[in-house]
Amino acid sequence: MIELRSLAWIALIGLCLSVPSHGDHGPQTWQRTHASVVAILPTWPGYDRPGFGAPRGTAPEGSGFFWTARNGSQSTPFIVTAAHVVSEATRIEARDASGNRFDLELIAIDAASDLALLRAPTEAPGLETISTMPPPGTHVCALGNPFGVGISMSCGVVSAPLRDELGMQSIESFVQTDTAINPGSSGGPLVDASGVVVGVMTVMFSRGADIDAGVNFAVSGDVLVDRLAPQAH
């Protein structure tokens, strides 16, 4: 009997080891989202083209995404980004995943939540916003333009939902994530495995270096809807 039990345990362990472990996200997350993500290229005062003169703590390029304030997949001309990416820009351009460039019109800027809404001259599939905040451990991915190298995706988990009282901005309702974020990622979407927006990447926590430390924050989807949806019409 002991030998049979031992053999059974060995077989069970072998079965577990033979089954590959993986996150919920994968290539399907990229396919559902990347066409909606853009690089944001602000031109700052005193310069005639983007990439120069960005204020301290702001990357020369940022990120954004086509967003629909209503549920359901549809095309939209509205683009969301972080307010600090475009707050002082004299001109705002976007570069999509195919390399096309076009000017954007600033519709609304909400410094209190670090969110901004822009209008594009063309439409693209809009990402929708999650209706219920996911719990810690939920797989999420951030799409954006880190260091200005182009649109890419990094994945991790929700570390904690609804962080506040961090002293970083007036309205705080952050999703904390360990997803890799770097300068240029600000304004990009944090999405769940199905490509629905959980939050908008806004800030990374670092000590003495402008590099990812695994503690990053996104403005939660409920704040996005509350602050910008009335402007998206």
Side-chain angles (χ1 to χ4, degrees):
M1 181 66 69
I2 295 177
E3 291 181 355
L4 288 176
R5 288 179 178 176
S6 297
L7 290 173
W9 276 111
I10 292 172
L12 179 60
I13 293 171
L15 177 62
C16 292
L17 292 175
S18 67
V19 177
S21 60
H22 57 82
D24 298 330
H25 52 257
Q28 75 281 356
T29 306
W30 170 260
Q31 291 299 326
R32 292 169 180 166
T33 55
H34 79 279
S36 302
V37 181
V38 297
I40 301 293
L41 305 107
T43 298
W44 296 94
Y47 296 85
D48 58 5
R49 58 194 178 101
F52 302 92
R56 182 177 177 83
T58 303
E61 294 188 12
S63 306
F65 61 96
F66 283 90
W67 174 64
T68 176
R70 299 174 296 278
N71 290 333
S73 177
Q74 57 184 326
S75 292
T76 175
F78 294 109
I79 289 178
V80 169
T81 188
H84 72 264
V85 172
V86 297
S87 60
E88 299 178 27
T90 59
R91 179 184 179 186
I92 307 169
E93 297 175 82
R95 183 178 62 242
D96 64 20
S98 299
N100 302 311
R101 290 176 67 150
F102 44 88
D103 284 309
L104 300 176
E105 175 190 0
L106 182 62
I107 300 297
I109 191 161
D110 188 59
S113 62
D114 195 27
L115 293 172
L117 184 69
L118 307 106
R119 188 193 304 271
T122 185
E123 294 188 348
L127 301 181
E128 61 183 82
T129 312
I130 201 165
S131 57
T132 303
M133 189 56 56
T138 302
H139 291 114
V140 287
C141 296
L143 291 98
N145 177 38
F147 292 108
V149 300
I151 304 304
S152 61
M153 182 175 80
S154 59
C155 299
V157 299
V158 171
S159 303
L162 305 180
R163 290 283 198 205
D164 59 6
E165 298 183 0
L166 300 178
M168 292 188 288
Q169 57 194 44
S170 299
I171 296 177
E172 295 188 337
S173 178
F174 294 120
V175 181
Q176 182 183 331
T177 179
D178 66 347
T179 304
I181 301 298
N182 286 288
S185 298
S186 292
L190 182 71
V191 302
D192 66 10
S194 63
V196 178
V197 176
V198 174
V200 182
M201 297 310 308
T202 184
V203 65
M204 59 185 179
F205 182 86
S206 62
R207 292 287 190 188
D210 202 14
I211 57 174
D212 178 59
V215 181
N216 304 302
F217 299 96
V219 178
S220 64
D222 58 342
V223 173
L224 169 61
V225 173
D226 288 346
R227 305 296 288 187
L228 293 189
Q231 311 295 329
H233 56 75

